[in-house]
């Protein structure tokens, strides 16, 4: 059974309510200001090959404000004459097309079930959008997703620049909505957090399932199948392509081939997370495929774990976004100094990109939410921002000793070891909550579970 391994996965939280999405729309409408029009274009479908498409994923902004999950949709929010008005352009009902691709909600159904004032056929978008544009001054639109919308906006701006001189009305400015939208999305509400907790719980169960069913000689894709099978079994899907790398493959940060056998004595690194109602989890665990860390694997693993725990301790309101990264680097550099892997003589020198950066070459954190690398500015005005309640970030230090490296000499005892440990952390009012706490990570816990199917 692809069950929860002791974790209760039965209570699937509801998606954000219509009321909550309405209030998000009210917030963004206020931020865009009077006489504005916000346009959100849903992701286009992507061709995989010939007439086969990739599974569709709506744009995160469309999910956040409207919850509409289907393609060929454009959302508009007009803030004019002191009122907010929302329109969703979508395909109307069409029995012939529905026979092939599924039943559509239609315009009436969309108006009843989604937080919009009006649903309008996508076939009428060019005319209606032009009217909306003519009624506003500031157009908040991210170009590049759908050329049809870009063209309508460009044309309206160009034509109005000529007539505005006389009429004093019409769109004058093209503004980027992303800075405003990302500030809203950066702070998670309780309903969003419930979804993220569930996403983290499913991902934890999937990692545990892989640990329990592991044995030397398995192929990386077999562990991937266990992990992703558990995602699907629990009503979710991956939030990014799973990374399953054994031995030296674990030292490639974004290894996705997952096509090699994992040899007895090797570590395997699994970086895999899922999404529920669009909300991502992002977990990495590294463990020995045969269930027992070698002495040298254990030394480096414990060092990464200590640095990860130090980084998590730095997750509290008022700390800078860089604090967890700096905490991780300090622990790691001191450990590598003690092992003679990096040179000092000072800790500061050991922490430099030339020393520690040779083996730990990525950042410790990124925001997490509707996107795995979620929106939100990390350093407004070039200063790392302060952590605040409601932000969710990952903590994922790693050490990588690729035997394949041609730029450095790696001592044989460390060669082929790649380790990353990644948890998802919510900043709370007085500290933090580790959303992925159900996923084991100490050496003792891991050795007690690998290959021990329950
Ligand atoms: N899974 C990609 C990352 O950890 O950032
Ligand atoms: Mn991550
Ligand atoms: Mn990850």
């Amino acid at each position: 059974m692809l069950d929860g391994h002791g974790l209760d996965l039965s209570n699937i939280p509801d998606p954000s309510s219509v009321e909550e999405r309405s209030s998000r729309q009210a917030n963004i409408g206020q931020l865009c200001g009077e006489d504005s029009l916000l346009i959100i274009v849903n992701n286009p479908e992507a061709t995989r090959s010939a007439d086969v498409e990739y599974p569709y994923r709506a744009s995160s902004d469309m999910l956040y404000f409207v919850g509409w999950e289907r393609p060929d949709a454009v959302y508009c929010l007009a803030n004019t004459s002191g009122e907010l008005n929302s329109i969703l352009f979508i395909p109307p009902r069409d029995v012939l097309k529905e026979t092939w691709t599924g039943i559509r909600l239609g315009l009436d159904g969309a108006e009843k079930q989604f937080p919009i004032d009006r649903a309008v056929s996508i076939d009428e978008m060019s005319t209606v959008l032009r009217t909306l544009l003519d009624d506003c001054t500031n157009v908040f639109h991210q170009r590049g997703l759908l050329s049809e919308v870009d063209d309508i906006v460009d044309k309206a701006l160009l034509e109005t620049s000529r007539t505005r001189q006389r009429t004093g009305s019409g769109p004058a400015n093209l503004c980027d909505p992303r800075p405003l939208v990302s500030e809203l999305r950066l702070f998670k509400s309780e309903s969003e957090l419930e979804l993220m907790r569930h996403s983290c719980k499913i991902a934890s169960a999937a990692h545990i399932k892989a640990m329990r069913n592991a044995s030397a000689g398995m192929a990386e894709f077999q562990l991937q199948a266990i992990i992703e099978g558990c995602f699907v079994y629990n009503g979710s899907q991956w939030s990014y392509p799973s990374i399953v790398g054994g031995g030296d493959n674990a030292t490639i940060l974004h290894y996705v081939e997952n096509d090699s056998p994992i040899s007895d004595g090797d570590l395997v690194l699994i970086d895999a997370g899922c999404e529920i109602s669009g909300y991502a989890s992002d977990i990495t665990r590294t463990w020995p495929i045969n269930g027992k860390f070698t002495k040298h694997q254990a030394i480096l693993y414990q060092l990464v774990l200590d640095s990860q725990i130090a980084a998590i301790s730095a997750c509290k309101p008022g700390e800078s976004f860089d604090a967890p990264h700096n905490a991780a680097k300090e622990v790691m550099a001191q450990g590598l100094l003690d092992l003679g892997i990096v040179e000092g003589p000072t800790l500061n020198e050991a922490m430099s990109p030339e020393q520690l950066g040779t083996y730990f070459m990525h950042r410790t954190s990124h925001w997490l939410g509707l996107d795995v690398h979620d929106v939100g500015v990390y350093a407004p005005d070039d200063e790392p921002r302060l952590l605040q309640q409601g932000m969710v970030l990952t903590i994922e230090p790693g050490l990588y000793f690729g035997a394949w490296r041609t730029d450095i000499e790696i001592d044989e005892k460390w060669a082929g070891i790649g380790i990353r440990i990644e948890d998802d952390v919510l900043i709370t009012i007085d500290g933090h909550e580790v959303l992925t706490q159900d996923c084991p990570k100490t050496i003792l816990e891991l050795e007690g579970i690998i290959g021990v199917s329950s």
Side-chain angles (χ1 to χ4, degrees), residues 12-35:
I12 304 169
D14 290 331
S16 300
S17 66
V18 166
E19 292 74 26
E20 182 168 345
R21 288 205 173 89
S22 289
S23 96
R24 294 172 190 164
Q25 293 181 26
N27 290 340
I28 193 68
Q30 293 310 318
L31 289 173
C32 292
E34 267 290 312
D35 294 326

Side-chain angles (χ1 to χ4, degrees), residues 240-241 243 253-254 271-273 282-284 366 372-373 394 396 420 422:
Y240 55 90
I243 297 168
L253 300 181
H254 282 172
D271 183 345
D282 182 6
I283 298 182
T284 309
H366 55 79
V372 67
H373 294 162
T394 64
E396 50 177 308
R420 181 163 63 254
E422 176 173 29

